[in-house]
Amino acid sequence: MTNDDNARLVDFLEREGVLKTKRIIEAFTNVPRHMFVLEENMDNAYADYPLPLMKGATISQPSTVAFMLEYLNLQPGEKVLEIGTGSGWNAALMGYCIGKKGNVISLEIEKALAEFAERNISKTGVSNVTVLCKDGSGGYSEKAPYSRIVYTVAVDEVPVNVLEQLKIGGILLAPIGIDNVQVLTMMEKADKKRFKKKYLGYFQFVPMRSS
Ligand code: SAH
């Protein structure tokens, strides 16, 4: 894997119109995907499709990750909750986007993946991500409220207690649906009880598991 392979992917995502924002482009450039894939998939690290990890998890397709990051519109210093760490790639990209004053908390139910993600993230120099080995179905109220919450696992709904963990004015992204395809849904918290919803299209994520 060379820097050229990553540069080609970034260039492709920009030409496709998925990657737009300077800070996100810098994140993709500085947090290279090959650090987050299994050794046997190294040759395909920069292909625009998901790749298997362990325990049935996958590292998402780069264009999906870029698409979600553009809608998340992360700002420096924000506190972000991710549910479904997987490889840690998205968590590290978000950590890069929010800068040193920001903080990402990412929840992963599988110990092997939480440890894998921590090792991967530490290779990148991004140091503001905390991976917790935990069932994320109820969010993580201990560190709430968050200005952004992102699910990278499919859920049939977002529970009220997770919505409560979002700041007013904050954004939540979740792939919602129980079949093998989900509607990526964006919710902006207008006030304590009201959310502005936007449907961003159909995607496929691995389903949330419970402990
Ligand atoms: N964002 C990841 C991809 C996530 S794949 C990346 O960048 O690589 C979805 C992950 O969610 C899997 O690792 C799976 O083990 C995890 N997961 C499934 N159910 C979960 C739950 N209830 N709580 C936390 N993590 C869960």
Side-chain angles (χ1 to χ4, degrees):
M1 280 302 110
T2 66
N3 289 339
D4 282 357
D5 295 315
N6 190 23
R8 261 197 297 276
L9 172 66
V10 172
D11 189 51
F12 164 75
L13 295 172
E14 280 189 69
R15 274 186 286 116
E16 291 287 299
V18 209
L19 262 185
K20 298 175 198 147
T21 305
K22 187 164 168 271
R23 187 78 186 151
I24 305 175
I25 295 168
E26 280 171 15
F28 266 73
T29 304
N30 289 292
V31 182
R33 192 178 189 236
H34 76 261
M35 292 184 179
F36 295 84
V37 303
L38 297 178
E39 193 59 44
E40 65 255 36
N41 293 320
M42 204 51 94
D43 288 349
N44 298 319
Y46 291 108
D48 192 25
Y49 45 76
L51 291 168
L53 302 169
M54 52 279 243
K55 307 275 182 188
T58 55
I59 179 168
S60 304
Q61 184 170 346
S63 51
T64 303
V65 175
F67 183 84
M68 290 175 78
L69 285 175
E70 290 287 349
Y71 275 100
L72 268 184
N73 187 24
L74 295 165
Q75 299 300 319
E78 282 189 326
K79 188 159 56 167
V80 183
L81 177 68
E82 179 185 52
I83 301 171
T85 316
S87 67
W89 187 41
N90 187 53
L93 289 166
M94 295 195 297
Y96 187 95
C97 288
I98 58 181
K100 291 213 180 337
K101 294 208 170 105
N103 187 221
V104 177
I105 294 172
S106 185
L107 309 178
E108 170 56 54
I109 199 165
E110 284 289 347
K111 190 158 184 271
L113 281 157
E115 288 171 359
F116 177 64
E118 274 192 326
R119 280 199 302 278
N120 297 339
I121 296 166
S122 71
K123 287 186 264 178
T124 66
V126 172
S127 58
N128 57 356
V129 177
T130 307
V131 177
L132 299 177
C133 184
K134 221 184 144 336
D135 181 348
S137 51
Y140 191 62
S141 57
E142 287 85 337
K143 295 276 181 203
Y146 305 97
S147 46
R148 302 286 186 269
I149 298 179
V150 58
Y151 281 76
T152 59
V153 274
V155 284
D156 52 1
E157 61 169 358
V158 178
V160 173
N161 71 322
V162 174
L163 293 174
E164 281 169 2
Q165 294 171 28
L166 187 65
K167 270 189 190 158
I168 290 172
I171 296 173
L172 181 146
L173 276 187
I176 299 182
I178 42 175
D179 299 328
N180 56 11
V181 63
Q182 296 89 40
V183 179
L184 183 62
T185 305
M186 174 162 126
M187 298 187 208
E188 280 185 83
K189 192 164 183 169
D191 59 39
K192 255 185 150 197
K193 291 252 151 27
R194 282 186 315 127
F195 289 83
K196 207 166 79 192
K197 274 192 192 176
K198 218 181 203 169
Y199 301 108
L200 307 180
Y202 293 97
F203 291 86
Q204 272 185 311
F205 284 82
V206 297
M208 176 174 265
R209 299 195 301 100
S210 47
S211 44

